[in-house]
Amino acid sequence: MKLYQSIAEKIRERIEQGYYQVNEKLPSIRTLSQEHDVSVSTAQQALLFLEKEHWIEVRAKSGSYVKAQLAAAEMPQPCRPAQYPLKVSQWKEVRALRSLYKGHSDDFLYLSSGMSDIDAPTLKPLLKIMSHLTIREGVRCLTPDTLQGAVELREQIARLALDGGTRLHPDDIITTTGCQEALAISLQALTKAGDVVAVESPGFYGLMQILKALDLQALEIPAHADDGMSLDALEMALDQWPIKAILVIPTENNPLGSTMPDENKVRLLKMTQRYNTPIIEDDIYGDLRYKQPRPRTLHSFDTEGRVILCSSFSKTMSAALRIGWVAPGRYKERIEHMKYIGTANTTTLTQLAIAEFIKQGYYERHVRTVRQQYRLNRDQLTHMLQTYFPKGTRISAPRGAYILWIELPGDVDTLLLNKRLVQHKIQIAPGVIFSASGKYRNCLRINYARPVPKSAVLAISQEAKELLAESLMPQ
Amino acid sequence: MKLYQSIAEKIRERIEQGYYQVNEKLPSIRTLSQEHDVSVSTAQQALLFLEKEHWIEVRAKSGSYVKAQLAAAEMPQPCRPAQYPLKVSQWKEVRALRSLYKGHSDDFLYLSSGMSDIDAPTLKPLLKIMSHLTIREGVRCLTPDTLQGAVELREQIARLALDGGTRLHPDDIITTTGCQEALAISLQALTKAGDVVAVESPGFYGLMQILKALDLQALEIPAHADDGMSLDALEMALDQWPIKAILVIPTENNPLGSTMPDENKVRLLKMTQRYNTPIIEDDIYGDLRYKQPRPRTLHSFDTEGRVILCSSFSKTMSAALRIGWVAPGRYKERIEHMKYIGTANTTTLTQLAIAEFIKQGYYERHVRTVRQQYRLNRDQLTHMLQTYFPKGTRISAPRGAYILWIELPGDVDTLLLNKRLVQHKIQIAPGVIFSASGKYRNCLRINYARPVPKSAVLAISQEAKELLAESLMPQ
């Protein structure tokens, strides 16, 4: 973060805390520069930046004034509790979305993806490290690792996990081919075909598809964009159904951006104790919380080894590396077996490279930088959506990571919207794939890891408005 | 291969073909040098090499004579046909074997492993390619690939597959995290818990463990070390049991070293047509056939898309790369789904590196060289086993790859043998893990990708003889 940005950040915090009120005049540039002990031009840059970000307005011959914020958009509404467990469908839709993607040579704007910003300059040292490792370590890079994975990496993972309050010994960790494998082998270890699994609704579609592939039934528990899974609904479900596992993304939920408060984590563990229900915690976005310290993991409250913690470097670094991990707790032997039969060991080179990247301090610098960038992107995108999207649009308010969940008003079908967006070379993630039962047809998920161009927001908005108008026309 | 080695090879072939008979005197060094158009010293080196390899003996003041070969060891006997399908066990034994392995810093001699010779000088260019790629391609190495995998690699796979008579378009291929994933997702796509799957017996334990993990039942079809799976036994089994899939390694079978003759491949396809049974073909060792051209794949005879072809670069290059592939035939959609939910995409960098290694001609040079080395290692090892192992030992006769299957006489328990070998810092693969039903307790598998030291053969032989003696003592 540049100096002027950190000054802007301090002023922005004062506005948010009400220290500077709406319509109040800010101190002069000279006063600000003295107060923050920076040059006049830095103070000026800070104000220009705040103006661009819609926090202040500059009135000619007068000064800078705190701008009235758009009223915070309302958050998307939780769905009604599920009546019964369901088989997951929507593979066709997921497949169609993935099939369109042509890889690196593509000129589409995939707002639909879960991809991190792989162009971030702070990620560049990783390429150098990989290049050096192949020369320095030589044959070591060609040596298959143990089933648990490279100990160098497991040591670093254990160290980083402390940020979320998670205490792990390197031996408590198995590295995996991305978080997807961690989730899949955990579910395979805990369930058999036909079993009922509780999931958040809306829920990450990659996870929904695991349920489909393993022939499991999804019990959709409503989740709120603020605090996540409804524990009242879950409690009722636990009494009613033989739930074999609970899947939850407590921190920076995908797609909702919600975070489960600590007291809910404690309650969740307590209410599942009676049934001895295993919980799979996906913490893949946890390290991307804008404000530090990040929230504690559910795992950190668990004293029974009943929470299986899954994560990866796909969101913090790059999904092309295919390195994730699982802390399997008391289910270690079964999960290790599933890892063995699924892929045996994990790629050696990318494991060693990530370990080195963390060890040399690049990881902490990198996530610190992208967190700031993602927060700026969120603010810009939210502002554009509030300005240009149809009236009545509801928007999530993530406090980390880079995905936004949007609920359009009326009967707009986002599958249809996506078809129309092909001509604009834009794709969003349609809401329906986040549900086992075809819910969220009027919702969409947008990735803002890179700043979303205004032209894209306008294109989506225009198509959405047309669909909305068509839906209101008499049949 | 050095010049003298290729001359020695020509002479050896003549001995094998009976052109030079046992006890016949070979032409003089001068004659040989003229005949093969090489220097006298090269001809001399060739003879020294053949002497070291036990093909000839040098009699003082007389010349070189063709040596009587040890009578070829008898091959291991096939087991009796299975009476009924069985659940697989032996995870404890497999896990124990894997847990002992400590990775690269290990000083154990793992004759138990399936690892290729990763120290081969012809593999070195791969490290350079990986180093250059991270710099040259930069962010491309951090870009997640499509679900099917990097097209650059799929093009090269399609080209190489022609050697086995396999005709594939790059779109017919999905890259995977090693062959293990290819096999696992194929089985997941074809079966559900409780289903019966026909496997070769003895059979690769990694595959047996997939059956265990997916709660499938194994129907063990006896296989012979010469021509593989007994089709008579399979035919009977097909009539009797609802077999959902057949798993077979037709070329350079693991562990038997057998190769299914082409007429058997045709018969196998014909006899399964009636039941429309899908066949999963594991061709992971196919490219390591010593004599070229390599045998055709079963897939190359298939006109119905019913054979799923699985392979990888783990045996030809290194298992640390975790790059395999599957040609899913008519089961493409299901298998793609399983790939998606299991690991999503495959590591970008190692895919691109292998593609480049093949494209630049390094792959063909590399496998040509290691094939020769593996054949030499086989001859040396076989000779040592025949010389030092207990009388009555039966040995397989692989025509490719680097694993040998050994049947010890009497009641020697190779699990016990392995326990005793820990003190020698040696591990072999005990026979019992190659069976669903605890067969092959007196068998073992040995890896000879690197020359097996005589000291190791002596240690195994000594412990085996002691166990044999103990088993013969009155209780």
Side-chain angles (χ1 to χ4, degrees), chain A residues 131-202:
Chain A
S131 179
H132 289 166
L133 270 178
T134 49
I135 302 306
R136 198 186 74 202
E137 296 285 329
V139 84
R140 165 81 168 104
C141 302
L142 303 177
T143 308
D145 240 304
T146 61
L147 191 49
Q148 278 211 269
V151 68
E152 294 92 328
L153 179 58
R154 288 185 281 119
E155 280 166 3
Q156 297 302 323
I157 290 170
R159 197 171 64 73
L160 289 181
L162 289 172
D163 288 349
T166 316
R167 295 188 168 274
L168 292 172
H169 185 273
D171 285 349
D172 301 331
I173 297 165
I174 302 170
T175 65
T176 57
T177 307
C179 192
Q180 186 70 26
E181 184 177 42
L183 296 170
I185 60 178
S186 299
L187 267 170
Q188 281 182 287
L190 297 175
T191 62
K192 54 180 202 311
D195 280 351
V196 177
V197 173
V199 295
E200 290 154 312
S201 182

Side-chain angles (χ1 to χ4, degrees), chain A residues 11-79:
Chain A
I11 299 171
R12 195 185 61 82
E13 277 181 8
R14 290 186 183 181
I15 295 172
E16 282 192 320
Q17 288 156 7
Y19 182 83
Y20 300 136
Q21 298 279 334
V22 170
N23 281 327
E24 186 180 336
K25 188 178 170 183
L26 287 185
S28 71
I29 290 174
R30 189 166 303 275
T31 312
L32 285 171
S33 80
Q34 285 165 353
E35 190 179 339
H36 294 283
D37 198 19
V38 294
S39 71
V40 168
S41 80
T42 300
Q44 193 156 28
Q45 274 184 298
L47 289 183
L48 279 171
F49 184 76
L50 285 170
E51 190 187 10
K52 213 179 116 209
E53 295 278 307
H54 314 286
W55 286 95
I56 62 171
E57 59 183 329
V58 180
R59 297 184 192 159
K61 291 182 190 167
S62 169
S64 305
Y65 289 81
V66 176
K67 209 172 153 179
Q69 291 299 298
L70 285 175
E74 278 191 77
M75 282 197 179
Q77 285 301 297
C79 66

Side-chain angles (χ1 to χ4, degrees), chain A residues 91 94-95 98-99 101-104 115 118-119 123-124 126-128 130-132 134-135 138-147 152 177 180-181 184 188 204-206 209-210 212-214 318-322 332-334 336-338 340-350, chain B residues 91 94-95 98-99 101-104 115 118-119 123-124 126-128 130-132 134-135 138-147 152 177 180-181 184 188 204-206 209-210 212-214 318-322 332-334 336-338 340-350:
Chain A
W91 169 232
V94 174
R95 198 182 192 217
R98 301 235 15 161
S99 304
Y101 176 60
K102 290 289 170 288
H104 69 114
M115 220 162 103
I118 52 173
D119 283 316
L123 199 52
K124 290 282 185 293
L126 179 69
L127 293 165
K128 268 202 195 128
M130 290 203 279
S131 179
H132 289 166
T134 49
I135 302 306
V139 84
R140 165 81 168 104
C141 302
L142 303 177
T143 308
D145 240 304
T146 61
L147 191 49
E152 294 92 328
T177 307
Q180 186 70 26
E181 184 177 42
Q188 281 182 287
F204 167 47
Y205 60 84
Q209 291 302 315
I210 302 178
K212 176 173 171 61
L214 301 181
S318 149
L321 304 166
R322 305 315 298 134
K332 186 173 178 192
E333 182 167 349
R334 279 278 294 152
E336 206 168 271
H337 194 213
M338 291 300 164
Y340 172 63
I341 69 111
T343 59
N345 44 301
T346 303
T347 313
T348 304
L349 175 60
T350 43
Chain B
W91 168 233
V94 173
R95 196 182 193 218
R98 300 236 15 162
S99 304
Y101 176 60
K102 291 285 169 291
H104 70 114
M115 219 164 104
I118 52 173
D119 282 316
L123 200 51
K124 290 282 185 293
L126 179 69
L127 293 166
K128 268 200 194 128
M130 289 203 281
S131 178
H132 290 166
T134 48
I135 302 305
V139 85
R140 164 83 168 101
C141 302
L142 303 178
T143 308
D145 240 305
T146 61
L147 192 49
E152 294 94 327
T177 307
Q180 187 70 26
E181 183 176 44
Q188 280 182 288
F204 167 48
Y205 60 84
Q209 291 302 315
I210 302 178
K212 176 174 171 60
L214 302 181
S318 148
L321 303 166
R322 305 314 298 133
K332 187 173 176 191
E333 183 167 348
R334 278 279 294 151
E336 208 169 88
H337 194 212
M338 291 300 164
Y340 172 63
I341 67 112
T343 59
N345 45 300
T346 303
T347 313
T348 305
L349 175 60
T350 43

Side-chain angles (χ1 to χ4, degrees), chain B residues 310-471:
Chain B
C310 302
S311 191
S312 91
F313 298 96
S314 297
K315 305 303 176 183
T316 47
M317 296 172 66
S318 148
L321 303 166
R322 305 314 298 133
I323 300 297
W325 54 275
V326 56
R330 62 159 91 152
Y331 313 101
K332 187 173 176 191
E333 183 167 348
R334 278 279 294 151
I335 290 179
E336 208 169 88
H337 194 212
M338 291 300 164
K339 165 66 184 163
Y340 172 63
I341 67 112
T343 59
N345 45 300
T346 303
T347 313
T348 305
L349 175 60
T350 43
Q351 286 190 84
L352 296 182
I354 294 173
E356 196 71 17
F357 188 79
I358 301 169
K359 208 171 169 184
Q360 294 190 15
Y362 289 118
Y363 179 83
E364 267 146 358
R365 197 184 70 160
H366 170 65
V367 289
R368 205 162 56 229
T369 310
V370 290
R371 279 195 300 247
Q372 291 296 337
Q373 186 59 51
Y374 293 158
R375 196 186 60 68
L376 286 177
N377 295 354
R378 178 202 62 183
D379 291 345
Q380 276 176 4
L381 176 60
T382 305
H383 192 270
M384 285 193 285
L385 292 174
Q386 289 180 267
T387 311
Y388 300 113
F389 259 45
K391 215 172 135 86
T393 298
R394 291 165 181 265
I395 309 170
S396 66
R399 283 152 286 186
Y402 48 75
I403 50 180
L404 211 63
W405 181 249
I406 300 164
E407 187 187 317
L408 292 171
D411 265 347
V412 180
D413 179 350
T414 52
L415 274 179
L416 204 56
L417 175 65
N418 231 12
K419 269 188 198 148
R420 296 208 183 177
L421 288 174
V422 170
Q423 56 177 316
H424 302 277
K425 297 198 167 186
I426 295 171
Q427 285 291 277
I428 51 87
V432 71
I433 62 178
F434 296 87
S435 162
S437 51
K439 290 192 185 76
Y440 313 116
R441 295 211 160 263
N442 62 332
C443 295
L444 62 148
R445 193 192 71 175
I446 284 187
N447 176 322
Y448 59 80
R450 296 178 192 185
V452 179
K454 187 172 164 183
S455 58
V457 174
L458 289 175
I460 302 169
S461 161
Q462 178 208 323
E463 295 293 352
K465 281 176 180 166
E466 282 179 22
L467 282 171
L468 188 59
E470 286 169 27
S471 76

